[in-house]
Amino acid sequence: MIQKPKGTKDLLPEESFKWQEVENKLKKIFDSYNFKEIRVPVFEHTELFQRSVGETTDVVQKEMYTFEDKGGRSITLRPEGTAGVIRAYLENGMGSMPSPTKLWYNMAMYRYENVQKGRLREFHQIGAEIIGSSSYLADVEIILMANEIFKKLNIPNIKLTLNSIGCPKCRQEYQKVLKEFIGKNLEQYCDTCKSRFEKNPMRILDCKERKCKELNINAPKMIDYLCEECKEHFENVQETLKNLKLDYEINSSIVRGLDYYTKTVFEFIDETTSLTVLGGGRYDELVQELGGPKTSAIGFALGVERLMEMYKNEEEDKKPDLYILSAGQNENQKALELSQELRSKGYIIEKDICERSFGSQMKYSNKINARYLLVIGENELQSGKAKIKEMKTGVESEISLNLEEIIKAIEK
Ligand code: HAM
């Protein structure tokens, strides 16, 4: 038997119902902040991710599903959503629409990762982006919206962690100091870190190798080298969150794994597993990097699979309102007509589509937990009267075989 590729998951009906519940709740949150949905292609030109996520990141160096298509183009399955969204924003002239533009998405992502708990190769992100505001108020709005997700889904043990990783201006000074620090022990770092030393030393702080992590423990922190503007921006974010009584922790070692970030970065951590469920931040240079005008932006994405591990669904999947049991051509025809009319009125109706016996239909209607059972046999068709049974109580009543009477019975 052919099995699914490593790092992928099948979503069976029981779980897909739970996903729908979460998706519906999140859509309501996004609506309330007036974010609009965007859908972008599963694959993009590889260059898009090289230019945005960054050549020296793990995502681009190690994790992308990249292939040459039949036309000889280098194509990559999206490893994240922001790059495609900004590409679409620019390509479709969305910059000329009222600004800021507020978008959300729910999309599958692909990363060739070491598969482990909470780390898949095909996974889903629900994300949001505000494009066109440099104000700290946009940071606050996006963090508040992210926080509301956990509140509305009743997910406990979530911690908000914040950091600022500055702008290209203050980063220059910081990188000098960081290189001095790393340079002292460069020989002891892994080969990937060594290769990142000249081009992008900050990525070394992001290395998952145990040895490199140890060497980085006392590395200088970006937060201590912020320029006046970045400092003020970050203070404003913090002060507003404090006024709103939103708890957070500063974690000066958050660097995020993607190169486009500037200023505020944040992660919502599951305190039970220490996994990051939601991550995001400001990216004020990306629109320009991708060929657009200088445009500030901020956003986040949450890992849906990680969220689902923590979410307890509140409702149960809907059961069929009625199973119409019938056998014989005319009886089946009647069952079909009634089913279609009831379905068009919003009821969930099941009927035989396998030409099974009465007995097997009865068993099936039990297994699928139909609320009511209506039997249409030869006698019922002739007399125009039929029995309808409430499955839970076993109580039966006789009704006229028409729509109004059936609805009256199942609405009881
Ligand atoms: P990210 O931190 O790479 O950010 O991913 C966001 C979230 O996706 C993570 O916090 C995690 O929950 C989930 N995730 C990432 N990789 C995997 C995986 N292999 N398996 C399961 N879940 C995973 C971004 O992707 C940015 N685009 C977020 C963003 C939007 N920043 C600004 N706007």
Side-chain angles (χ1 to χ4, degrees):
M1 198 180 42
I2 300 170
Q3 298 191 329
K4 62 183 181 310
K6 190 173 171 188
T8 63
K9 262 184 77 175
D10 298 315
L11 203 63
L12 304 182
E14 196 181 300
E15 228 190 320
S16 66
F17 172 72
K18 201 170 139 184
W19 279 55
Q20 283 168 13
E21 200 172 274
V22 164
E23 285 164 356
N24 292 339
K25 286 185 179 182
L26 262 57
K27 166 130 191 351
K28 280 196 191 132
I29 297 175
F30 294 143
D31 282 349
S32 72
Y33 284 79
N34 199 29
F35 279 64
K36 305 288 179 194
E37 188 184 1
I38 184 164
R39 301 182 192 194
V40 296
V42 167
F43 58 86
E44 298 272 1
H45 292 290
T46 303
E47 194 194 345
L48 176 70
F49 302 112
Q50 289 167 336
R51 293 234 322 248
S52 54
V53 172
E55 297 268 17
T56 50
T57 57
D58 273 0
V59 171
V60 168
Q61 284 186 330
K62 302 178 185 169
E63 296 169 1
M64 293 208 302
Y65 279 91
T66 297
F67 58 94
E68 200 172 279
D69 73 5
K70 292 193 200 308
R73 303 167 198 90
S74 180
I75 293 292
T76 293
L77 301 186
R78 60 178 174 225
E80 62 99 54
T82 310
V85 168
I86 297 302
R87 197 250 332 117
Y89 168 87
L90 289 171
E91 193 167 342
N92 295 287
M94 291 173 85
S96 61
M97 283 158 60
S99 173
T101 306
K102 304 202 286 184
L103 303 168
W104 70 270
Y105 51 85
N106 178 3
M107 305 190 295
M109 307 292 165
Y110 301 86
R111 293 185 193 177
Y112 193 82
E113 299 218 49
N114 283 330
V115 177
Q116 48 186 287
K117 193 171 163 52
R119 214 167 268 290
L120 293 157
R121 290 186 177 166
E122 182 190 59
F123 61 98
H124 295 78
Q125 283 186 348
I126 297 183
E129 317 286 353
I130 300 178
I131 309 157
S133 170
S134 58
S135 165
Y136 72 95
L137 289 171
D139 306 36
V140 171
E141 175 145 314
I142 207 92
I143 291 171
L144 277 181
M145 192 165 78
N147 186 60
E148 200 161 323
I149 292 175
F150 300 103
K151 255 184 15 201
K152 284 266 156 65
L153 298 179
N154 286 319
I155 294 178
N157 304 326
I158 288 282
K159 186 170 72 186
L160 165 61
T161 54
L162 288 184
N163 192 20
S164 175
I165 55 169
C167 63
K169 209 170 73 191
C170 43
R171 217 172 275 167
Q172 266 183 1
E173 170 64 16
Y174 172 63
Q175 292 200 347
K176 259 195 249 156
V177 188
L178 183 64
K179 275 175 90 172
E180 262 170 45
F181 173 85
I182 294 171
K184 283 187 227 148
N185 295 313
L186 190 60
E187 277 317 301
Q188 295 179 55
Y189 279 87
C190 73
D191 287 345
T192 312
C193 283
K194 280 185 196 135
S195 74
R196 290 170 178 175
F197 182 70
E198 284 305 330
K199 268 195 179 160
N200 195 351
M202 270 178 86
R203 279 277 74 88
I204 296 177
L205 299 178
D206 198 28
C207 183
K208 293 172 189 110
E209 295 283 327
R210 201 168 55 93
K211 177 80 190 151
C212 305
K213 273 185 173 174
E214 277 169 15
L215 288 166
N216 286 337
I217 287 175
N218 293 319
K221 312 278 190 207
M222 182 67 231
I223 201 166
D224 298 325
Y225 294 84
L226 297 179
C227 63
E228 275 315 306
E229 191 202 321
C230 289
K231 211 189 229 166
E232 191 186 326
H233 184 98
F234 196 43
E235 278 166 7
N236 282 335
V237 172
Q238 290 184 63
E239 203 176 297
T240 317
L241 294 180
K242 269 188 205 140
N243 290 340
L244 290 164
K245 305 217 163 6
L246 192 74
D247 290 337
Y248 64 85
E249 248 175 41
I250 301 292
N251 178 353
S252 52
S253 54
I254 299 178
V255 283
R256 310 277 302 131
L258 316 163
D259 269 355
Y260 48 65
Y261 289 111
T262 53
K263 293 187 175 166
T264 317
V265 287
F266 55 92
E267 293 185 340
F268 284 75
I269 315 283
D270 171 2
E271 291 185 281
T272 320
T273 59
S274 302
L275 284 172
T276 304
V277 188
L278 181 152
R282 187 163 268 293
Y283 50 95
D284 289 347
E285 310 295 319
L286 181 58
V287 177
Q288 211 170 16
E289 178 61 41
L290 294 179
K294 174 112 185 85
T295 311
S296 299
I298 183 163
F300 69 73
L302 75 82
V304 186
E305 284 81 1
R306 292 187 187 181
L307 182 78
M308 287 302 164
E309 289 285 322
M310 312 171 74
Y311 178 68
K312 307 254 177 309
N313 49 318
E314 286 161 7
E315 292 164 28
E316 275 189 22
D317 202 357
K318 293 191 188 86
K319 310 261 183 291
D321 293 304
L322 178 69
Y323 185 95
I324 305 183
L325 193 145
S326 68
Q329 210 171 4
N330 294 337
E331 293 79 356
N332 288 343
Q333 181 62 32
K334 183 72 182 171
L336 187 55
E337 282 165 17
L338 286 170
S339 298
Q340 291 310 90
E341 282 178 285
L342 287 161
R343 284 167 179 161
S344 74
K345 292 197 179 307
Y347 293 101
I348 306 175
I349 309 297
E350 277 264 17
K351 63 179 284 294
D352 175 52
I353 48 171
C354 302
E355 300 186 55
R356 283 181 178 140
S357 69
F358 263 33
S360 320
Q361 288 187 50
M362 197 82 87
K363 273 193 204 140
Y364 179 69
S365 68
N366 252 316
K367 281 187 195 152
I368 59 168
N369 291 316
R371 287 175 50 233
Y372 283 88
L373 179 75
L374 177 73
V375 181
I376 307 180
E378 212 180 326
N379 291 343
E380 284 80 6
L381 209 54
Q382 266 174 15
S383 67
K385 300 255 176 220
K387 291 222 170 80
I388 190 158
K389 177 165 136 186
E390 189 181 13
M391 302 294 272
K392 199 167 77 188
T393 57
V395 173
E396 261 185 5
S397 51
E398 195 175 64
I399 58 166
S400 296
L401 201 50
N402 63 47
L403 206 60
E404 290 71 35
E405 291 261 312
I406 298 172
I407 292 175
K408 219 161 76 187
I410 61 180
E411 285 290 345
K412 256 201 225 143

